[in-house]
Amino acid sequence: MTEFAHLQEQKVDSKEIFNGQIVQVYVDTIRLANGQQATREVVRHCPAVAVLAITDDDKVVLVRQFRYPVDKPLLEVPAGKMDGDESETPEGTAARELAEETPYTAAKIELIHNFYTAPGFCDEYMYLFRASGLQKNSDLQPDEDEFVDTVLYSREEVVSALKNREIEDVKTITALQHWLLERL
């Protein structure tokens, strides 16, 4: 028995509600640690990446794109899901997403953190990478249904945008906080 056995929940039954291209939705019956049963609505999502791309003159590369679920454009770090291709690594996905969503490629991509994006209802696991040695030489294009603007922000502009609540995306806030803390 582990030290966290008193927190453990076990799946008793699972019913698929929706099977889409990006997510699958289930209603699971679970057994709680006290033996009682409850239900959990669960969104299954493939792994994803986010890229904290920093130019040689210390500006962060952001993208602005319309997000239909929240009905407005958001300012975000480049990001995307890992394709179903088993050969694509998180690092490869990060390089691809940076090159697809911005005009940049990176000489170096390194993992700086990984996290769950919304563990209360979703199992999406995200890898956060730092990209450096940027070159403005990408010949890749965004996906057919993706329209993005590339925006460069200095540290001061990031601090102002965060203070003014202009950045509302959690992966971006996480990445930018990491970047800002590097100087402390």
Side-chain angles (χ1 to χ4, degrees):
M1 259 213 177
T2 69
E3 72 179 289
F4 301 113
H6 66 286
L7 301 174
Q8 190 69 37
E9 297 178 353
Q10 294 180 330
K11 181 170 37 175
V12 174
D13 188 40
S14 184
K15 181 179 178 188
E16 184 179 80
I17 302 300
F18 175 77
N19 188 354
Q21 293 180 358
I22 296 175
V23 298
Q24 295 79 44
V25 181
Y26 296 85
V27 174
D28 289 356
T29 302
I30 56 114
R31 181 172 292 107
L32 302 169
N34 66 3
Q36 299 208 7
Q37 288 190 355
T39 59
R40 299 286 186 254
E41 296 173 0
V42 181
V43 176
R44 301 282 181 207
H45 191 288
C46 61
V49 303
V51 184
L52 174 63
I54 307 299
T55 65
D56 288 342
D57 61 347
D58 203 35
K59 293 195 175 178
V60 65
V61 178
L62 300 172
V63 293
R64 181 173 284 115
Q65 63 182 321
F66 190 85
R67 293 299 195 175
Y68 178 80
V70 296
D71 196 30
K72 64 182 173 180
L74 295 180
L75 198 55
E76 306 176 30
V77 293
K81 65 183 180 66
M82 292 180 64
D83 286 338
D85 180 1
E86 295 293 321
S87 66
E88 188 173 52
T89 64
E91 293 85 356
T93 303
R96 177 178 53 77
E97 288 293 339
L98 177 65
E100 282 179 359
E101 293 188 359
T102 76
Y104 296 97
T105 62
K108 183 177 181 183
I109 294 182
E110 59 188 324
L111 181 67
I112 55 177
H113 207 73
N114 39 339
F115 51 89
Y116 292 99
T117 59
F121 68 90
C122 183
D123 68 353
E124 181 184 32
Y125 197 68
M126 185 162 282
Y127 299 86
L128 174 59
F129 289 91
R130 181 187 175 99
S132 56
L134 301 185
Q135 296 289 321
K136 202 171 187 179
N137 63 356
S138 173
D139 57 1
L140 297 181
Q141 297 296 315
D143 292 338
E144 240 177 51
D145 62 348
E146 231 175 5
F147 300 91
V148 296
D149 291 334
T150 301
V151 181
L152 301 179
Y153 271 36
S154 67
R155 288 178 188 265
E156 295 75 24
E157 290 169 316
V158 164
V159 168
S160 176
L162 289 170
K163 283 182 179 178
N164 294 329
R165 296 181 182 89
E166 296 167 26
I167 299 173
E168 300 176 278
D169 172 65
V170 72
K171 72 182 172 301
T172 302
I173 293 169
T174 301
L176 295 175
Q177 291 290 351
H178 177 83
W179 184 48
L180 295 173
L181 289 172
E182 289 177 348
R183 290 249 173 116
L184 296 180

